[in-house]
Amino acid sequence: NAGVMQNPRHLVRRRGQEARLRCSPMKGHSHVYWYRQLPEEGLKFMVYLQKENIIDESGMPKERFSAEFPKEGPSILRIQQVVRGDSAAYFCASSQGTGLEEQYFGPGTRLTVT
Amino acid sequence: GQNIDQPTEMTATEGAIVQINCTYQTSGFNGLFWYQQHAGEAPTFLSYNVLDGLEEKGRFSSFLSRSKGYSYLLLKELQMKDSASYLCAVGDNAGNMLTFGGGTRLMVKP
């Protein structure tokens, strides 16, 4: 049973470009969570999605950031017009149900903005 | 607001016991979680406490006191591979998210 998959694992973007991060949850999981980890800091919740629905986006910056989890395909975290401060590791987690104890994390995407 | 505090770094000796403390002040509570994260890797789930008391799982144990807003992770018979960051997190009431502390970087020395 494959775990949570994220790609790319490393992404380099110049300021002003768009970054698109993908997350494929574990098989049978329909709940996806995105977290951001800035260098030397803890994980910060960004958004919680179920298939075709955003359930909680209280941790998402108001501008430039968006997320989706379509009926088919992976969840996408999109960052438009990236800035240096967006450089971080972005982790996706998935769960089968709503129980937080069931969250499994992917390996993360490390975004570097030059 | 959400406030979760844990020491930034700890050092311990191989074979010893180490206790990593976590205190929290959060607007909601739906369980206290501990994760292990090796450098450059994904966090992996260690333990979950929702009731007061001690939960033991092999070499790792976790304790919770809800009235004191306090938890600790106890690691016994330390091994070199236990060198990692240990993240304390609190679940929100809705079950939508985990709020993490800054993590404790544990270094195990021979």
Side-chain angles (χ1 to χ4, degrees), chain A residues 9 33 35 37 40-45 47-48 55-56 58-59 91 98-108 110, chain B residues 30-31 33 35 37-45 48 87 90-92 94-103 105:
Chain A
R9 294 292 306 275
Y33 312 79
Y35 293 85
Q37 188 171 38
E40 305 301 321
E41 291 189 16
L43 286 156
K44 296 283 191 283
F45 168 80
V47 62
Y48 163 41
I55 307 302
D56 186 332
S58 57
F91 288 95
T98 55
L100 287 170
E101 69 272 22
E102 301 170 343
Q103 279 191 33
Y104 295 87
F105 281 81
R110 275 144 191 87
Chain B
N30 190 12
F33 301 77
Y35 280 80
Q37 186 180 26
H38 285 98
E41 297 183 12
T44 54
F45 172 80
Y48 166 63
L87 314 178
V90 172
D92 72 320
N96 289 348
M97 71 179 82
L98 295 173
T99 300
F100 283 86
R105 191 179 309 166

Side-chain angles (χ1 to χ4, degrees), chain B residues 23-37:
Chain B
T23 57
Y24 63 90
Q25 291 175 305
T26 55
S27 55
F29 182 83
N30 190 12
L32 191 292
F33 301 77
W34 285 96
Y35 280 80
Q36 180 191 61
Q37 186 180 26

